[in-house]
Amino acid sequence: MDLKFLGFEQPIAELEARIDELKFVGDDSEVNVSEEIERLRRRSESLTRNIFSNLSAWQIAQLARHPQRPYTLDYIARCFTDFQELHGDRMYADDASIIACIARLQGQPVVVIGHQKGRDTRERVMRNYGMARPEGYRKALRLMRLAEKFRLPVITLIDTAGAYPGVGAEERGQSEAIARNLIAMAGLRTPIVSLVTGEGGSGGALAIGVADRVFMLQYSIYSVISPEGCASILWRSADKAEAAAEAMGITAERLLKLGLVDEVIAEPLGGAHRDPQATSEAVKNALLQALAELQPMPPDELIAARRKKLFGFGVYKEG
Amino acid sequence: MSWFDKLMPSRIRTQRRSRSVPEGLWVKCEACSAQLYRAELKRNLYVCPKCEHHLRIGARERLEMFLDANSEHEIAAKLEPQDPLRFRDSRRYRERLSTAQKETGETDALVVMAGTLKAIPLVAAAFEYRFIGGSMGSAVGERFVRGVQYCIEHRRPFVCFSASGGARMQEALFSLFQMSKTSAALAALGESGLPYVSVMTDPTMGGVSASIASLGDINVAEPRSLIGFAGPRVIQQTVGETLPEGFQRAELLLEKGALDMIVDRRKVRDEIASLLAKLTDRPEVS
């Protein structure tokens, strides 16, 4: 698949296009162009390094939503083995925007739950663009209870623009489904590790994101509302999304500094989609490390520590 | 506020709080347009005597009319909001806070009181919708948690009246995490075997609806309240069609199974006292 470049990557895209052209020439001419290609490659790399060393929050948001970014199923395929998907909330339907499965992480059984966006138009519609309805959150909760019962750790992968804003979703209790997950996860007697892989969009993200460890990929975002939504409410113009992204501090680096997430997992140069395998290995290592710390903890201790962490969120003045 | 009031430094202004219902001798019902005499309306707990429309009311008034007279003391009153992100849109968040504080007389959008309801000791919280849309930021979340902790410590039930647009954008992810923080407190309350009654009033939306408001052992709503996760405008844009009549109103939520009951404001004391008495094994209340 050809690499897609974002607006701010255009200078890199131009260099890469020239490299491709030269490669084509190199294939059927006698001129030796390999040196030139090598020179351009080095330039492309240093240009990428340069551009990526100074990304704005809005640029990072675009990377988080990159159409080629690895999704939950890509991580499941690369980090886990013996994967079996489980379906349905037992009440209404199966929501394909959330994947739930039992798999093995380095041999050890775990429950994995994650939002799934689609790659092409057909899949995007089937997955509802990764925006879950109540049945998605209820499926997730059902699997978390299963994990608790059989003492399996829960790993959640977050990548959603938000919970789906639709008539049916509201009528079936979108709010209640999200709220129920929050209270259940605050007391789930098994370790929970969450990783924001792309977009951590509001309540729809948090509904599978209450955890003992919260990780973010370097170019993922996590926010209370999308930059566009925030801009249209506070600035009364969706064009101010860039300013809203900056103001809300949605990037992994900023949120780590604010103490809201535990760890940032570095991505390969140019973003996770440039090297999904390397990204997955980093993810796998972080998950293994977290589980090694959490699994020896007795459930009561685990929950006490989780609650202490939750109660610690917030900045206020004791007047 | 008159020009004279504006000249005075805020700390010596005597007027401490204004009301949701505009001041004046006569009030117009926003539902049926009837002209109502303020004193009579107040006696009727701000329910229109002509059409039974429930006017929005402030947090402090709400708690005053809910709890037994002179039984209450405030919890975590001294908590004040901060601006951890130095957030600025068209206005600074700090300015929005100080404007809201002056207009409402509250430090933030939640008031929590320990008191009694028909002699049942409990803790009640109420959102102040006029304070940045009743939005939940760090101070609101912390106050809620302190209220719940007080309940656990003193073995009391908890009641929360919500009126909120959702999580507060100006505190960004801090606000989102108040949803999990407050829900964790309710998990602990539940484990202590203490009841929690959630009363949703107009409006209860977004992050508040998707956390504390939906988690009652008993979920109650005031008539005609707008209750939902996504705002009607967002949904309309998404589905591209007009929304059905009564969508996201309490009556439809009751029909869809999201609520235990809809309670007229004038019956809230009776109904909740009766519920709590049964859930905490007390004799029948009169």
Side-chain angles (χ1 to χ4, degrees):
Chain A
M1 188 165 45
D2 283 347
L3 213 53
K4 286 197 178 65
F5 290 95
L6 299 165
F8 66 88
E9 295 179 295
Q10 270 321 299
I12 306 168
E14 279 161 28
L15 269 180
E16 291 292 330
R18 267 177 60 198
I19 291 169
D20 285 347
E21 256 170 51
L22 281 177
K23 268 193 214 156
F24 185 72
V25 173
D27 283 347
D28 56 13
S29 83
E30 288 172 10
V31 192
N32 189 348
V33 290
S34 62
E35 258 177 48
E36 176 68 0
I37 290 178
E38 197 41 43
R39 198 182 63 82
L40 288 175
R41 275 231 173 89
R42 279 199 301 273
R43 248 182 77 191
S44 171
E45 201 190 303
S46 80
L47 189 63
T48 308
R49 212 172 282 285
N50 211 329
I51 289 174
F52 275 71
S53 66
N54 195 22
L55 294 174
S56 71
W58 180 239
Q59 288 167 335
I60 290 174
Q62 288 170 277
L63 278 169
R65 298 166 175 172
H66 197 289
Q68 291 172 320
R69 199 163 171 83
Y71 295 149
T72 291
L73 283 173
D74 301 303
Y75 290 110
I76 287 175
R78 288 189 157 93
C79 303
F80 301 89
T81 56
D82 198 5
F83 155 78
Q84 291 173 295
E85 186 174 359
L86 303 173
H87 295 275
D89 68 347
R90 299 294 183 274
M91 290 187 251
Y92 181 77
D94 181 48
D95 187 339
S97 66
I98 287 187
I99 302 273
C101 67
I102 317 188
R104 287 177 191 272
L105 181 66
Q106 208 157 65
Q108 191 207 328
V110 292
V111 162
V112 186
I113 297 164
H115 301 101
Q116 178 69 28
K117 295 177 174 175
R119 270 302 157 213
D120 55 34
T121 308
R122 216 180 114 243
E123 201 201 348
R124 284 191 191 114
V125 171
M126 192 265 278
R127 303 273 180 209
N128 201 31
Y129 299 81
M131 293 187 285
R133 299 179 169 99
E135 40 279 16
Y137 299 118
R138 287 173 183 146
K139 170 168 72 176
L141 181 57
R142 185 174 73 81
L143 267 289
M144 288 188 244
R145 291 291 182 212
L146 182 89
E148 184 179 49
K149 182 171 175 183
F150 297 102
R151 298 174 181 276
L152 310 181
V154 176
I155 290 161
T156 71
L157 303 175
I158 294 169
D159 187 15
T160 184
Y164 183 64
V167 174
E170 291 288 324
E171 290 184 347
R172 294 192 297 278
Q174 189 72 290
S175 284
E176 195 273 347
I178 295 170
R180 189 63 51 202
N181 283 15
L182 302 183
I183 196 169
M185 293 179 92
L188 202 77
R189 298 176 68 78
T190 193
I192 311 172
V193 180
S194 288
L195 167 68
V196 185
T197 60
E199 278 184 283
S202 190
L206 189 65
I208 59 166
V210 183
D212 300 300
R213 295 282 186 280
V214 179
F215 298 151
M216 286 181 78
L217 279 178
Q218 188 178 1
Y219 303 125
S220 68
I221 58 170
Y222 204 171
S223 64
V224 68
I225 183 171
S226 70
E228 291 89 342
C230 179
S232 71
I233 296 170
L234 291 183
W235 279 263
R236 300 191 186 281
S237 154
D239 303 339
K240 296 284 185 191
E242 204 169 337
E246 207 61 58
M248 287 196 294
I250 60 176
T251 65
E253 196 189 2
R254 183 101 189 266
L255 295 170
L256 182 70
K257 276 190 196 138
L258 291 168
L260 291 167
V261 301
D262 298 299
E263 195 180 315
V264 176
I265 300 172
E267 293 187 29
L269 182 63
H273 59 287
R274 295 274 196 109
D275 192 347
Q277 189 55 37
T279 311
S280 300
E281 274 160 29
V283 165
K284 187 178 172 183
N285 287 336
L287 294 177
L288 284 169
Q289 174 66 37
L291 291 189
E293 289 163 22
L294 297 169
Q295 283 198 285
M297 293 172 77
D300 287 336
E301 212 175 286
L302 186 73
I303 288 169
R306 189 184 303 152
R307 294 217 178 133
K308 192 173 168 218
K309 178 186 168 82
L310 293 172
F311 291 147
F313 290 132
V315 178
Y316 48 83
K317 196 167 95 188
E318 193 93 57
Chain B
M1 198 184 292
S2 74
W3 64 270
F4 180 73
D5 287 333
K6 281 182 192 157
L7 281 178
M8 282 198 291
S10 56
R11 67 195 145 81
I12 60 165
R13 268 180 219 141
T14 47
Q15 173 199 13
R16 206 180 109 66
R17 68 186 94 103
S18 54
R19 303 179 178 286
S20 293
V21 182
E23 295 293 340
L25 205 54
W26 295 89
V27 181
K28 187 172 161 183
C29 170
E30 52 212 64
C32 72
S33 300
Q35 291 291 338
L36 307 167
Y37 186 47
R38 168 173 294 282
E40 189 195 333
L41 186 61
K42 190 179 177 189
R43 263 197 306 279
N44 210 34
L45 307 184
Y46 295 100
V47 176
C48 172
K50 302 274 192 310
C51 73
E52 314 233 305
H53 173 65
H54 286 50
L55 282 77
R56 287 178 185 170
I57 54 172
R60 219 161 270 275
E61 279 172 304
R62 168 79 67 181
L63 295 177
E64 269 166 30
M65 67 174 68
F66 178 66
L67 295 169
D68 298 340
N70 302 319
S71 72
E72 73 275 12
H73 70 90
E74 196 166 344
I75 293 174
K78 286 182 179 159
L79 277 187
E80 279 175 39
Q82 295 286 291
D83 178 16
L85 302 172
R86 296 174 190 213
F87 193 95
R88 179 182 196 163
D89 49 86
S90 52
R91 283 174 71 196
R92 288 178 192 279
Y93 176 40
R94 280 193 181 280
E95 281 171 38
R96 284 187 195 269
L97 281 174
S98 70
T99 305
Q101 285 168 343
K102 276 175 204 150
E103 280 175 0
T104 61
E106 302 297 344
T107 48
D108 211 322
L110 189 77
V111 180
V112 185
M113 301 245 188
T116 59
L117 169 69
K118 300 196 174 200
I120 303 171
L122 50 68
V123 173
F127 279 81
E128 176 55 67
Y129 186 68
R130 289 173 313 135
F131 197 107
I132 318 185
S135 55
M136 180 160 70
S138 301
V140 168
E142 180 65 19
R143 259 190 206 156
F144 186 94
V145 170
R146 300 268 179 103
V148 172
Q149 283 169 341
Y150 187 97
C151 287
I152 295 172
E153 218 170 290
H154 296 88
R155 306 281 318 153
R156 292 180 176 204
F158 189 69
V159 177
C160 180
F161 294 88
S162 37
S164 172
R168 187 171 297 165
M169 284 178 283
Q170 291 89 343
E171 292 183 35
L173 205 66
F174 285 105
S175 301
L176 188 73
F177 284 7
Q178 299 312 305
M179 292 169 65
S180 39
K181 173 173 170 168
T182 51
S183 300
L186 291 174
L189 186 77
E191 286 155 14
S192 303
L194 296 163
Y196 166 47
V197 177
S198 166
V199 186
M200 301 174 223
T201 76
D202 187 60
T204 296
M205 303 298 294
V208 169
S209 165
S211 59
I212 49 185
S214 295
L215 291 174
D217 294 306
I218 313 278
N219 286 339
V220 177
E222 282 196 337
R224 295 287 301 156
S225 299
L226 187 74
I227 301 162
F229 180 65
R233 240 185 323 150
V234 175
I235 296 171
Q236 196 150 345
Q237 280 162 13
T238 311
V239 299
E241 55 193 82
T242 45
L243 300 173
E245 172 67 22
F247 182 63
Q248 291 186 325
R249 293 288 170 187
E251 290 69 18
L252 186 71
L253 266 80
L254 184 74
E255 194 184 308
K256 297 289 177 188
L259 298 173
D260 287 286
M261 58 208 297
I262 294 175
V263 178
D264 187 298
R265 189 178 291 161
R266 294 161 294 186
K267 292 271 171 57
V268 162
R269 272 175 58 86
D270 294 344
E271 294 283 355
I272 295 182
S274 298
L275 284 169
L276 291 180
K278 278 171 274 191
L279 295 176
T280 57
D281 197 20
R282 286 169 174 272
E284 201 171 331
V285 286
S286 53

